Amino acid sequence: MDKLAGLRAFINVVEAGSFAEAGRKLRLSRSAISKYVGELERDLGVQLLNRTTRQASPTETGQTYYERAVAVLADLDAADQAASQLQSTPRGLLRVNAPMSFGTIKLGPVIADFMERYPDLQIQLVLTDEQVDPVQEGLDVTLRIAELEPSSLIARKLVDIERVVCASPGYFKKHGKPKQPADLRQHECLTYGFLSTGNQWKFTGPDGADHWIAPKWSLCVNNAEVLRDAAVKGRGIAVLPVFLAEQELKSDKLITTLDDFKSPQLTLYAIYAPTRHLSVKVRLFIDFLVERMR
């Protein structure tokens, strides 16, 4: 039997004094109310109500049970209300993981503004370029700039990230600018250690043809900020996300080349574990990221 429905039906019969009035209050038929109360009495093995044609009143046992049932339902309603409030006002700890460079350059102001909007939240931000397991590490949201492999995790696309081929004016003055991707083989190149293509650079030309280059690298590192700084110092040519080098490009500390040949776009994803009811703190944080990234 539906014990909760039986309790509500019984309480309303006691308070209304009749099955018909209780049915009108609960928007159920008189027979449905009678069935719920009858099942409750059979389950308990006691008579809870004295019945007449028009009225119903609690027995001595029924009165005691009524008082306990009212307290139980009051506690349950309070618990429901508390849970609902938690869903509308996020509280507690939100654990976020993000790539190092993106986190230091772009995510800091976003996190600060999110904290201002939801001051009852605690946010733990973990920055690393390694691809950690969100479930194993107990992370609520993982931001990842990568081509994602099939997974049971849910991934929401946030924004595409353009990349440019660039170096310092001093480097190009000394070594010249490459005119074709193949020319990169004659240059010092600065490579990122976590590329999905390994030690291969891919470019798509204006005619749609793909060009694959294995550059001769002088620096390979798993942090793109180090690549940017080395490029500014004239150490070679790098393929960098625009967000990482935008200030250096604006100030001409870095200059682009091979502009007609496009590197594959990167994509920023928000990744989280699947759940029947997505927690409000995760949902609000991801919605906030979408709002800000656009």
Side-chain angles (χ1 to χ4, degrees):
M1 64 167 287
D2 187 338
K3 189 69 168 285
L4 183 59
L7 285 176
R8 292 195 185 280
F10 169 67
I11 288 171
N12 277 274
V13 170
V14 172
E15 293 176 346
S18 76
F19 286 88
E21 286 298 323
R24 278 191 282 271
K25 184 175 180 181
L26 294 177
R27 297 184 180 181
L28 293 171
S29 66
R30 183 187 187 285
S31 61
I33 296 294
S34 179
K35 179 182 177 182
Y36 278 132
V37 174
E39 288 180 349
L40 183 62
E41 288 178 320
R42 284 191 294 274
D43 185 57
L44 295 172
V46 297
Q47 182 179 343
L48 298 174
L49 294 172
N50 294 312
R51 299 164 172 83
T52 65
T53 304
R54 295 181 178 273
Q55 293 182 329
S57 60
T59 63
E60 183 178 353
T61 301
Q63 182 62 37
T64 301
Y65 189 76
Y66 164 78
E67 293 170 0
R68 291 289 187 90
V70 168
V72 168
L73 285 188
D75 287 342
L76 182 59
D77 289 341
D80 288 345
Q81 185 177 6
S84 178
Q85 288 174 348
L86 284 173
Q87 284 298 307
S88 60
T89 304
R91 293 182 176 87
L93 177 64
L94 177 69
R95 300 192 72 227
V96 180
N97 165 243
M100 182 69 70
S101 298
F102 179 80
T104 57
I105 295 172
K106 288 294 185 181
L107 197 55
V110 176
I111 292 289
D113 290 345
F114 186 73
M115 292 171 64
E116 182 179 9
R117 183 175 294 187
Y118 302 106
D120 292 331
L121 270 177
Q122 287 181 294
I123 300 177
Q124 182 179 9
L125 178 61
V126 180
L127 300 180
T128 176
D129 287 329
E130 296 184 13
Q131 293 195 7
V132 300
D133 185 326
V135 176
Q136 185 175 347
E137 297 296 327
L139 298 164
D140 295 301
V141 182
T142 296
L143 302 183
R144 191 167 290 171
I145 301 174
E147 295 180 10
L148 301 181
E149 297 180 357
S151 168
S152 61
L153 299 173
I154 297 175
R156 180 171 177 181
K157 179 180 176 179
L158 298 179
V159 68
D160 288 322
I161 297 174
E162 300 286 346
R163 292 192 291 173
V164 293
V165 185
C166 58
S168 69
Y171 177 88
F172 286 137
K173 183 177 181 180
K174 183 176 181 180
H175 300 281
K177 278 191 172 186
K179 294 181 172 54
Q180 298 288 332
D183 297 340
L184 290 169
R185 297 190 181 98
Q186 310 305 318
H187 286 265
E188 295 294 327
C189 294
L190 312 171
T191 66
Y192 183 69
F194 284 160
L195 285 177
S196 61
T197 54
N199 189 29
Q200 294 276 331
W201 286 359
K202 179 185 177 183
F203 300 94
T204 301
D207 60 353
D210 291 337
H211 303 258
W212 289 88
I213 305 298
K216 180 185 70 174
W217 55 269
S218 56
L219 175 65
C220 178
V221 65
N222 63 352
N223 182 272
E225 289 177 274
V226 175
L227 292 181
R228 178 199 61 199
D229 295 344
V232 169
K233 291 290 186 179
R235 299 282 69 83
I237 297 175
V239 181
L240 297 174
V242 170
F243 77 82
L244 183 72
E246 58 186 346
Q247 297 301 322
E248 288 73 17
L249 292 168
K250 288 178 181 178
S251 62
D252 292 329
K253 291 180 180 179
L254 291 174
I255 297 175
T256 63
T257 187
L258 296 176
D259 294 337
D260 291 334
F261 295 84
K262 300 301 181 184
S263 295
Q265 279 186 338
L266 302 174
T267 302
L268 175 66
Y269 294 95
I271 301 172
Y272 55 94
T275 178
R276 184 178 178 185
H277 298 292
L278 183 62
S279 70
V280 66
K281 62 184 179 181
V282 172
R283 176 176 55 79
L284 290 175
F285 181 64
I286 294 176
D287 289 345
F288 192 78
L289 286 174
V290 170
E291 173 188 327
R292 289 295 295 268
M293 295 303 154
R294 286 177 178 170

